[in-house]
Amino acid sequence: MHQSRSDPDAITFDTEYELGQDNIRPLGLDIHNPVFVISGAAIVLFVVVALLNQESTATLFGWLRPWLTSTFDWFLMMSVNIIFLFCIVVAISPLGKVRIGGQGATPDYGYLSWIAMLFSAGMGIGLLFFSVLEPMYYSLPELNALPLGVNPMNDDGTIGNSGLAATVFHWGFSAWAVYVVVALSLAIFAYNLGLPLTLRSAFYPILGEKVWGWWGHAIDILAVFATLFGLTTTLGLGAQQIAAGLTDVFGIEMGQTGIVILIIIITMAALVSVLLGMDAGVKRLAEINMWLAFALFLFVLFVGPTMVLLGRFADTMVEYVRDFAALSNPFGREDTGYMHGWTTFYWAWWIAWSPFVGMFIARVSRGRTVREFIICVLVLPSLVCALWMSVFGGMALEQLAAGYEGAKEVVVAYKPELSFFRMIDQFPLYNLVAPLCLVLIVVFFVTSSDSGSLVIDTITAGGKMDAPVAQRVFWCTFEGLVAIALLLGGGLNALQGAAVSMGIPFTLVVLAMCYCLYLALKSERRLMGQPEGSGATPPHEVEHNEDPRGKHW
């Protein structure tokens, strides 16, 4: 890392590191030593220990999640606030003019495919699992989780939108800001500065050549653990919801054994997608996902009270913006049931997910300007999530106001996997719509597992994006096994506890990435402004519309 002769304030990143130089190749594999060895061995050991000690695992994670979310509430919430503000400042500053991949780079994917992929990777199964559960949960005074202490139950029998606004808060700008920082850091350091596509590369500005040693190994190993546990939480939720749907729609009773079998079957489907690759597998499934979700959304919107639901969306956005600062404040809060039970868990979960979602978004975002990237990744998915939650959650609240308590009953009993089905069973064609929902959940499941395998494999292959398929098969298989181990060893609490335990330490990594990203963008912006022939040609202008291969700049 050194200063440019023509501009002393511009920094170029110069390393002798070769992509894959620390890799070992046993049995035809191509794995990073020691990242793959340590993380792979640790995950195998975790699965074995958890399956052999299911009761102890349940006890540990049952205690761990509430302790972490109540102890580190201020840290998580302030960190996410800083990350969000950082995104806004970068987007409106001159740094927003930097283009991912260099000034001559063009997008690899059109807007429709790009947005479909980042959306399905970033939210996935959670949109179906929580869209009825959360607004209902936050609207029932008896559950002691009223956001900001506001009771939405009006004297005239109507129900306000405070629960919906509090739901949007968890799925809106703050969540996507975390993804923006990680994805943009990975994209800039890989496509503009020619470093390997791994988390460690983002820390080259502060660690220098030490990033290729144990400091970097530790960052990548932590990223693998965070990704795996964040992802398996989603996979476990999806399996529970599929099992509940099969029982509800077809009368097929699914105990724990049935859920385990479900995870195995869907993991096998994800393996098929892994073998097909990015364009034939992930891209195609993401597009199928988007169209299925869009069809379900339109069905509920137009069969339900359309104008009422759209009105709820508008009012919810007003409340969301109005209460954003209050909901983001961790100090002096009395609504601890909402803040500790939900907000701090979500922030840790999104941060745990961020290596997975960030690397995936980085891989499909070359050619976009930084400003375009931040606006699209921060705003568009947030608005779509808000509209989705307002329509599905708003429909459940309308049903409750009209006297139907099906969704309320399962939420009070805390059977969250049934809440969505209790809402749609009041619609016509339930026997057709419910199977469509099950297919959508399965496709979300497969897409998340496939994308997660791709990301973990890239990290554990030292940044190589064309590593042998067998390595992705290994990670895809163990994602399913970890989900099984957590479900058998504590169920939902174990899944959420695992995600939070990885999300909190990784928060420090994301905060440091903000500073490193600022340095890299500042350097890129200065190099953009230098005249041609000044001797400061940005490295990405040289043969860099292909995958980064560890060029010596």
Side-chain angles (χ1 to χ4, degrees), residues 132 392 395-396 399 407 419-427:
V132 172
F392 288 92
M395 186 67 243
Q399 291 173 342
S419 57
F420 189 86
F421 292 100
R422 285 287 75 78
M423 183 273 290
I424 63 171
D425 70 6
Q426 296 300 293
F427 283 78

Side-chain angles (χ1 to χ4, degrees), residues 109-125:
Y109 300 96
Y111 266 110
L112 191 62
S113 295
W114 180 51
I115 291 172
M117 283 191 284
L118 67 89
F119 183 75
S120 61
M123 292 292 120
I125 296 165

